[in-house]
Amino acid sequence: MTTSELWTRATADRYDAEETEMSSAAVLGPTLDFLAEAAGEGPALEFAIGTGRVGVPLREQGVPVAGIELSEHMAAVLRRKVDEKTLPVVIGDMATTVVPGEFSLVYLVYNTITNLLTQDEQVECFRNAARHLRPGGRFVIELGVPPLRFLPPGQVAVPFDVSERHLGFDTFDLVEQILVSHHFTRDDDGHYRRDNSRHRYAWPAELDLMARIAGLQLERRVADWDGAPFTQDSVKHISVWRKPS
């Protein structure tokens, strides 16, 4: 059993409409270019493919893509965009589910490894990536750096979005490395909908150790999909680990 929280039908149906910025050309362009280069001539496997925000346009760019998705509702939204033959998706969790074939790229974007709420499951996610990679293949993760520098003594909450239609902040359990993202979203009638989700945050160095356990080696770490240098002030990282040839 996975600790990941299941996305509901209602969440899946509104997901794309609420993630228009993440689906914009400005965001997706560099993302797709980076992933296509990492895949080379081989196929790619997306863990937690969701509604296909990345997987569908990457397939349209010429990279064969398959996916694993825990939520049948999210996969149903993806299936409205592309058929099973063009982009096959297996329903299951990304830590243990196995799909047929061998891949030159496995990738996991938009902080989704934090949906696995235990360290053991995150380690198994790395092992599952290594299981699917051909020799020389790459595992790519996009993940935010935990914003603990913004926590003064005694404070447990950090805002990440204060806009006209949305208020968002994270609360932290510093012992268990669990954060809860709280969202207050205003609808067209002026009412606010409250949602929250739990995540296990991890530092880059912890991920490197998980990769080593899985037999992968760090190849590259940058601050964004454009390849900016990763520094102590970076708010996220794109990390690439490689399976030895």
Side-chain angles (χ1 to χ4, degrees), residues 142-197:
E142 174 189 24
L143 183 59
V145 176
L148 302 188
R149 295 169 65 186
F150 294 102
L151 281 176
Q155 181 174 315
V156 296
V158 174
F160 60 83
D161 184 33
V162 180
S163 58
E164 184 178 351
R165 298 184 65 90
H166 179 254
L167 302 174
F169 61 92
D170 293 329
T171 54
F172 293 84
D173 180 334
L174 301 179
V175 175
E176 299 296 330
Q177 288 183 216
I178 296 292
L179 70 84
V180 180
S181 286
H182 304 264
H183 302 266
F184 295 84
T185 306
R186 193 179 72 179
D187 60 27
D188 293 335
D189 296 326
H191 298 98
Y192 278 85
R193 183 185 72 252
R194 179 177 181 177
D195 302 291
N196 61 71
S197 58

Side-chain angles (χ1 to χ4, degrees), residues 25-224:
V27 172
L28 275 183
T31 304
L32 299 177
D33 290 344
F34 190 106
L35 293 174
E37 181 180 358
E41 299 298 323
L45 173 63
E46 180 171 356
F47 284 178
I49 195 170
T51 65
R53 177 184 68 89
V54 174
V56 171
L58 186 62
R59 178 66 183 86
E60 293 171 348
Q61 194 163 304
V63 179
V65 177
I68 295 173
E69 174 54 42
L70 182 62
S71 169
E72 294 185 18
H73 301 302
M74 295 289 277
V77 175
L78 179 150
R79 195 52 68 219
R80 300 171 197 164
K81 306 172 184 177
V82 63
D83 60 51
E84 175 71 17
K85 182 178 180 180
T86 303
L87 202 165
V89 175
V90 175
I91 301 299
D93 73 276
M94 56 188 163
T96 61
T97 300
V98 177
V99 305
E102 199 173 51
F103 299 86
S104 63
L105 171 67
V106 177
Y107 66 94
L108 183 54
V109 298
Y110 204 13
N111 305 318
T112 315
I113 193 171
T114 66
N115 290 359
L116 299 171
L117 298 180
T118 69
Q119 186 183 69
D120 285 344
E121 283 185 314
Q122 291 178 353
V123 169
E124 289 306 312
C125 181
F126 272 82
R127 284 178 166 154
N128 201 30
R131 183 181 299 123
H132 285 91
L133 286 173
R134 61 181 54 167
R138 296 179 173 93
F139 183 33
V140 175
I141 283 183
E142 174 189 24
L143 183 59
V145 176
L148 302 188
R149 295 169 65 186
F150 294 102
L151 281 176
Q155 181 174 315
V156 296
V158 174
F160 60 83
D161 184 33
V162 180
S163 58
E164 184 178 351
R165 298 184 65 90
H166 179 254
L167 302 174
F169 61 92
D170 293 329
T171 54
F172 293 84
D173 180 334
L174 301 179
V175 175
E176 299 296 330
Q177 288 183 216
I178 296 292
L179 70 84
V180 180
S181 286
H182 304 264
H183 302 266
F184 295 84
T185 306
R186 193 179 72 179
D187 60 27
D188 293 335
D189 296 326
H191 298 98
Y192 278 85
R193 183 185 72 252
R194 179 177 181 177
D195 302 291
N196 61 71
S197 58
R198 299 171 67 220
H199 307 268
R200 183 186 186 273
Y201 64 84
W203 299 95
E206 186 180 5
L207 298 184
D208 289 343
L209 184 55
M210 294 180 189
R212 183 180 298 182
I213 291 171
L216 305 176
Q217 301 170 350
L218 180 67
E219 180 180 72
R220 185 185 183 197
R221 174 168 291 128
V222 292
D224 56 33

